[in-house]
Amino acid sequence: MLVIKKDRPVDIAKIVAEVHRIDQLSIDLMMLVDGHYNVPNDAPIIDQWSLAPSPPSVCLTGLGAGHPLLPGNSRGIVTSDLALIAEDVGVARTMSRWYRLGRPAGSTQSS
């Protein structure tokens, strides 16, 4: 979300980054129309994941690994707003990026 205040200069770089993020989400969602999941091979994994309310939306929470901005493995993370989740395919798309789904929270099976 962008916050703009009239007493501060507009940060054009942040606006451009937000437009790029929304454009990439649109491209990924349009590819689904043709039945293609545009998930990068290096998409981060979220294990022991669950849906978490983030009014007015929903996000994922769990243990992340391979995230480009959050180093470490099995690090607790909360994603940006969830755009789609395809549990049967094992992927989720947030406003920011794709995630590969590991085990759901409470699961005792190995991933």
Side-chain angles (χ1 to χ4, degrees), residues 45-48 62-67 70-77 103:
I45 297 171
I46 188 163
D47 195 31
Q48 293 295 313
L63 302 175
H67 193 287
L70 304 172
N73 291 323
S74 296
R75 174 188 177 140
I77 64 170
R103 298 166 292 174

Side-chain angles (χ1 to χ4, degrees), residues 58-110:
V58 173
C59 60
L60 288 172
T61 184
L63 302 175
H67 193 287
L69 303 176
L70 304 172
N73 291 323
S74 296
R75 174 188 177 140
I77 64 170
V78 177
T79 69
S80 58
D81 291 349
L82 191 60
L84 72 90
I85 186 166
E87 289 183 60
D88 56 330
V89 178
V91 298
R93 181 60 163 90
T94 67
M95 290 296 293
S96 300
R97 70 188 77 260
W98 284 101
Y99 285 88
R100 294 175 287 153
L101 298 175
R103 298 166 292 174
S107 174
T108 57
Q109 74 183 53
S110 299

